Amino acid sequence: MHPISFRSTLLLGAGIAALVSNPAAAQETATAPPEPQSVDAESDSTGDIIVTARRRQESAQDIPLAVSVLGAQQLDETGAFNVNRLQQLAPTLQFYSSNPRNTAVNIRGLGVPFGLTSDGFEQGVGIYVDDVYYSRVASATFDFLDVAQIEVLRGPQGTLYGKNTTAGAINIQTNQPTFDFEGRAELSIGNYNFQQARLAVSGPLSDTVAARVAFSGTSRNGTIRNVVTGENIQSLDNIGLRTQILWEPTDRLKIKLVGDYNKQDAVCCGSVFVGTGATQRPLNRQFAALAAAQNYAPPSTNPFDRLTDLDSNLNAGNVIAGAALKITWDVGPGTLTSVSAWRYWDWKPENDRDFTGLSIVARSQNPSQQDQYTQELRYTYSGDRIDFVLGAFGFNQRIDTQGLESQGVNASRWNITPSNPLSADPSVLDGLTARNTQVLKSTSAALFGQLSWKVTDAFTIQPGARLNYDKKSGFYQRRVFTKAGTELLGTETDAVSRARLAIYQPQLSAPSDTDWNLTYDLTASYELAPDVLAYGTYAKSFKTIGINQNGLPTDAAGVPIAAAGTIRPEKVDHFELGLKSQFWDRRVTLNLAAYRTEIRDYQATVNNGQFGVLRGYLANAGKVRSQGIEADFAIRPSARFTAYANAAYTDARYVRFTDAPCPPELSGGTTASAGQTPSAPGTPGGISPANCDISGQRLPGVSKWAVSFGAEGNVPATFLGQSGEVYLGYDGTYRSNFSSNPSPSAYTFVDGYALSNFRLGFRTDGGLNLFGWVRNAFDENYFEQLFVGPGNTGLIAGLPGDPRTWGVTAALTF
């Protein structure tokens, strides 16, 4: 048995048992699954899609808010079992991940800085699971567990949600405990040894107590072959457990206790050689010359051979767990809700930061542990003319990180100027180690509220406000040791020590800051006709202060720049116009949104190529803006056919960023002094600007065009003695090119790509669903990300997207 699939195989057995144990009896008590539609979310008796985006149950078409709603059936049948897969259905969503910690989830190109993650800043896109805020974006890499529906809210949501979110929110609703026995089992197998099993069971424990238990396990071999270790990397090995106990002592009071545990244990994460680009380093210090000096060549120059030769250990051990207590109490005319939660995160990574088979950076790991506590109190009232939400939110977080990075036997020849005799001595840098200790304490508190006043039957105004307090304090210490264990203090003057200190400098910093913010929004909506709603929104929002937790940049003398320790809050102005409409007896839905978001003091990730700050650091860009148009279309002429098309045009740019880090083609040379003219891009041994003006250029990670589209048709059929329907479905997605470097570079634009997914299956009203599927059906070669290698050598590495995958799924709802 393949070692990575052991846990999932246990769950596969449970899934098989559930599928084969007396299916006829199960079907007698089963409830029919939702009829297939372009968005198969929870709906009421009129067929409206019901959402809780505004903290109360409403039709998605009645709320003046841009929101995409994805139901459990659509998520299951399209294979969208995590946020990465979700972006193929929601074109305004961007997801990039080089490993679970270094994950970015953005909406409309905004949310978090693109690049390696720092703990010192906030997420701009909030992830909520049953009202609990998940501050670690690593949670987005886990499998969805027993999900009922997902709402992707676009634009600032600070007056409705506990933790402030400037770009949007992903609101995940799970299936709840029931007082009638029910359950669902699902089993999938596919190529690359893909195995996935899910099982959920719910029912009463007494007249007032119900419970629900859900399991999920996913495993898959990696898609990249490491020729050094013989392993297939970029594998999947996820397991999840979620337990809920609901107590309803009266009709007006509900108390729910939730616990969850999720673990990843994949052979991950790596990259492949993509190519090189000329920098302004001397020619003998660029990749080709450095590699030739050590007789090195990558295993393939074609990245889609999916071969790598990473020589360091790879690990992405990741545990996210927690518990929550939710109390819902109908008090008079409204509802009081309390959500108390604890979240835990344990991250145990090992990486190869030089992206090659040479032992340059021999070890790179930053294990972290987080404890997070949140408390939200919320009162919701719905009346004939007035609806409102009032809330208070408290957040406390501590993150401890123990970083280690060491140089290998090939480091001296790679990092020291060839004319220096020390470059020929491997012992100069071999074993040189930086040990980093980091602590982050973050506390925030907020009061927020939103009022909806129905001035007339057609016209509604909706003001909201938020008062927010934040305090952040950090500690960072880097200590540097030789292979023999001698500590370097940074004051040594001999040649060998200077060569070592050019790689790692000791550093100590303890940045801290506090901030108050008052923000607000106003939405006006008007019902132009039955099922046609127009709305306009202005929001004044913010993202709170940040601090640099991964080491500070240094000046020309090698002294840390203390002023870079803290980062000013972002100031957000958001404008949006929208139209929501349904016609042809609600068989057709067409929603449009146009927006413009301007952010001053944008918090950007930058990297100046120094080995001591390989992870990058945060800095404020002057101003950015994102503007665009979005359209969501769905048609259901009959129960036998549905189709949808969602499109987003996003124009996201730096408006003003005059002191940005330069792209690789303008880096690595002698820094220009006053009056000197920098050399042309890619001039070996040239003169490089100290920094670059990238005003007007595109933000990273954002495609101008993103489209998702699909259709499904079905016909009545009988199979295995069961009456039901045979269905054929198609889902496609297209994204145009995007920049994969914070400062746009000619070497790191990812080409646009299109993906096609098909499914063919049979389902019954009794809850049985059998289907085969193929994803990336035409085996499109594409990159999820490109990476610039350290040290301005011109190395470009990349992460290829998944190749063609196929398999079968059997599911039973009972």
Side-chain angles (χ1 to χ4, degrees):
M1 180 180 298
H2 195 284
I4 67 167
S5 61
F6 175 71
R7 298 184 183 89
S8 296
T9 302
L10 293 178
L11 292 181
L12 288 172
I16 293 171
L19 285 170
V20 302
S21 60
N22 198 10
Q27 290 173 17
E28 288 176 3
T29 60
T31 58
E35 290 185 344
Q37 45 186 326
S38 60
V39 175
D40 63 301
E42 180 182 346
S43 58
D44 63 11
S45 59
T46 67
D48 287 343
I49 297 171
I50 303 303
V51 297
T52 58
R54 297 198 299 175
R55 301 308 198 185
R56 50 189 179 269
Q57 290 196 339
E58 303 169 289
S59 167
Q61 289 300 112
D62 290 342
I63 61 175
L65 174 68
V67 56
S68 302
V69 189
L70 303 158
Q73 182 174 311
Q74 186 181 21
L75 295 171
D76 289 342
E77 292 184 354
T78 58
F81 58 82
N82 59 26
V83 175
N84 186 17
R85 305 289 184 96
L86 187 65
Q87 68 172 336
Q88 294 188 21
L89 300 174
T92 58
L93 183 70
Q94 296 93 36
F95 176 95
Y96 305 102
S97 180
S98 57
N99 62 43
R101 184 181 191 274
N102 295 310
T103 297
V105 179
N106 286 353
I107 292 176
R108 295 171 170 172
L110 304 173
V112 296
F114 184 91
L116 295 177
T117 301
S118 168
D119 294 324
F121 63 82
E122 301 288 332
Q123 308 300 319
V125 175
I127 299 175
Y128 295 85
V129 180
D130 290 342
D131 292 354
V132 175
Y133 174 68
Y134 284 43
S135 66
R136 298 311 311 177
V137 73
S139 61
T141 67
F142 281 98
D143 295 355
F144 297 139
L145 185 57
D146 198 23
V147 166
Q149 73 179 32
I150 297 176
E151 303 161 9
V152 180
L153 289 65
R154 286 113 69 180
Q157 305 297 324
T159 62
L160 275 174
Y161 284 76
K163 189 65 174 171
N164 189 51
T165 56
T166 57
I170 300 175
N171 186 30
I172 301 173
Q173 300 291 320
T174 70
N175 293 305
Q176 298 300 296
T178 59
F179 285 93
D180 294 319
F181 178 76
E182 66 174 35
R184 189 175 190 276
E186 181 183 292
L187 172 66
S188 299
I189 57 174
N191 64 336
Y192 291 94
N193 198 27
F194 177 77
Q195 302 172 68
Q196 186 175 74
R198 299 176 178 181
L199 178 64
V201 178
S202 181
L205 300 180
S206 71
D207 290 342
T208 59
V209 179
R212 188 177 190 96
V213 179
F215 300 89
S216 174
T218 303
S219 67
R220 191 195 69 181
N221 292 345
T223 57
I224 298 173
R225 183 73 170 175
N226 190 334
V227 300
V228 173
T229 64
E231 294 180 303
N232 294 319
I233 67 170
Q234 307 302 109
S235 64
L236 297 175
D237 192 5
N238 304 339
I239 190 168
L241 168 66
R242 183 178 181 86
T243 302
Q244 303 179 74
I245 298 177
L246 174 65
W247 178 35
E248 294 189 4
T250 71
D251 292 340
R252 302 174 65 87
L253 179 64
K254 296 180 181 180
I255 301 173
K256 185 178 67 172
L257 180 64
V258 182
D260 68 276
Y261 176 86
N262 302 272
K263 185 176 182 180
Q264 292 177 325
D265 193 17
V267 182
C268 183
C269 297
S271 59
V272 299
F273 176 86
V274 174
T276 60
T279 72
Q280 295 193 344
R281 256 193 165 194
L283 198 58
N284 63 357
R285 301 200 68 192
Q286 298 204 29
F287 182 86
L290 292 170
Q294 304 199 55
N295 296 315
Y296 172 74
S300 174
T301 57
N302 179 359
F304 297 107
D305 285 341
R306 300 179 184 271
L307 296 176
T308 192
D309 60 349
L310 303 180
D311 60 313
S312 299
N313 289 335
L314 298 179
N315 185 27
N318 196 19
V319 172
I320 290 183
L325 178 66
K326 182 175 182 178
I327 301 172
T328 306
W329 185 18
D330 291 337
V331 181
T335 300
L336 180 66
T337 302
S338 170
V339 183
S340 310
W342 164 75
R343 303 297 307 163
Y344 173 74
W345 179 55
D346 186 12
W347 169 234
K348 297 178 178 178
E350 293 180 274
N351 303 290
D352 193 321
R353 286 289 176 207
D354 58 49
F355 304 144
T356 73
L358 292 173
S359 184
I360 303 167
V361 180
R363 290 189 296 173
S364 177
Q365 51 200 57
N366 281 272
S368 294
Q369 307 82 41
Q370 177 210 245
D371 278 294
Q372 169 198 308
Y373 299 89
T374 56
Q375 173 63 56
E376 183 170 351
L377 290 172
R378 191 172 65 244
Y379 183 75
T380 306
Y381 169 83
S382 294
D384 291 338
R385 292 290 181 182
I386 297 290
D387 298 338
F388 67 82
V389 175
L390 291 175
F393 180 76
F395 172 87
N396 182 265
Q397 177 190 54
R398 178 181 172 124
I399 303 177
D400 292 273
T401 302
Q402 309 82 39
L404 183 149
E405 186 168 288
S406 63
Q407 299 287 291
V409 295
N410 301 115
S412 293
R413 190 173 290 275
W414 194 270
N415 295 323
I416 300 175
T417 302
S419 60
N420 187 334
L422 295 178
S423 67
D425 185 355
S427 67
V428 174
L429 295 184
D430 184 26
L432 181 69
T433 300
R435 296 184 179 274
N436 306 327
T437 300
Q438 301 179 45
V439 179
L440 172 68
K441 298 178 181 178
S442 180
T443 301
S444 65
L447 298 174
F448 60 93
Q450 190 178 92
L451 171 71
S452 180
W453 175 29
K454 197 169 186 178
V455 181
T456 70
D457 289 342
F459 179 57
T460 301
I461 59 173
Q462 179 182 286
R466 178 186 185 90
L467 177 65
N468 208 92
Y469 168 78
D470 286 278
K471 179 180 180 181
K472 291 181 184 291
S473 59
F475 173 82
Y476 176 86
Q477 183 181 39
R478 184 197 300 136
R479 301 176 67 189
V480 181
F481 299 88
T482 67
K483 188 174 184 178
T486 302
E487 184 171 5
L488 300 180
L489 302 178
T491 57
E492 294 81 1
T493 59
D494 62 282
V496 171
S497 294
R498 288 201 308 270
R500 290 168 173 168
L501 292 171
I503 303 300
Y504 300 131
Q505 276 275 353
Q507 196 174 120
L508 179 67
S509 63
S512 64
D513 207 351
T514 60
D515 191 47
W516 285 91
N517 280 281
L518 175 64
T519 55
Y520 50 88
D521 55 42
L522 177 65
T523 297
S525 59
Y526 191 83
E527 189 174 0
L528 301 175
D531 296 325
V532 180
L533 179 72
Y535 67 90
T537 296
Y538 169 72
K540 181 76 171 179
S541 188
F542 80 104
K543 185 197 287 186
T544 192
I545 50 175
I547 60 175
N548 270 309
Q549 278 294 102
N550 296 323
L552 300 181
T554 58
D555 60 21
V559 178
I561 303 172
T566 60
I567 302 95
R568 295 186 299 275
E570 293 182 352
K571 304 174 184 67
V572 183
D573 288 285
H574 174 77
F575 307 84
E576 184 162 341
L577 295 173
L579 181 71
K580 293 191 166 186
S581 63
Q582 289 183 307
F583 45 94
W584 194 16
D585 292 332
R586 296 189 174 182
R587 294 184 179 95
V588 176
T589 299
L590 176 62
N591 295 335
L592 303 171
Y595 66 92
R596 181 182 175 96
T597 304
E598 299 177 346
I599 303 178
R600 287 170 291 155
D601 290 328
Y602 177 75
Q603 295 172 356
T605 297
V606 300
N607 193 319
N608 61 2
Q610 296 172 327
F611 275 95
V613 286
L614 276 176
R615 298 186 58 78
Y617 58 95
L618 291 175
N620 290 106
K623 185 177 181 180
V624 304
R625 66 112 172 92
S626 176
Q627 61 187 12
I629 299 174
E630 300 161 349
D632 299 311
F633 173 80
I635 183 170
R636 183 181 176 130
S638 73
R640 298 297 170 206
F641 180 77
T642 64
Y644 70 93
N646 306 319
Y649 170 76
T650 308
D651 179 18
R653 296 183 180 274
Y654 297 103
V655 175
R656 186 174 63 257
F657 196 1
T658 58
D659 56 351
C662 293
E665 56 264 44
L666 286 171
S667 302
T670 302
T671 302
S673 58
Q676 280 188 305
T677 300
S679 304
T683 302
I687 298 174
S688 297
N691 36 54
C692 288
D693 184 351
I694 60 173
S695 303
Q697 299 194 46
R698 289 166 59 181
L699 287 177
V702 192
S703 298
K704 281 189 176 182
W705 289 99
V707 185
S708 62
F709 44 90
E712 181 182 296
N714 66 78
V715 294
T718 300
F719 181 65
L720 298 177
Q722 300 288 319
S723 297
E725 59 189 26
V726 171
Y727 62 93
L728 174 64
Y730 168 81
D731 296 281
T733 183
Y734 167 75
R735 290 183 182 268
S736 62
N737 72 348
F738 63 88
S739 168
S740 193
N741 195 57
S743 294
S745 167
Y747 307 147
T748 56
F749 264 88
V750 173
D751 292 337
Y753 60 88
L755 303 177
S756 292
N757 307 321
F758 294 90
R759 62 187 181 276
L760 174 65
F762 172 78
R763 57 184 167 228
T764 72
D765 289 341
L768 180 66
N769 191 2
L770 305 171
F771 62 97
W773 44 266
V774 57
R775 291 159 192 148
N776 190 6
F778 302 114
D779 206 18
E780 175 88 353
N781 287 328
Y782 68 102
F783 290 109
E784 292 188 355
Q785 280 184 265
L786 295 175
F787 312 106
V788 176
N792 297 315
T793 68
L795 170 63
I796 306 297
L799 178 60
D802 280 352
R804 179 193 297 121
T805 58
W806 49 263
V808 294
T809 296
L812 177 65
T813 302
F814 53 90

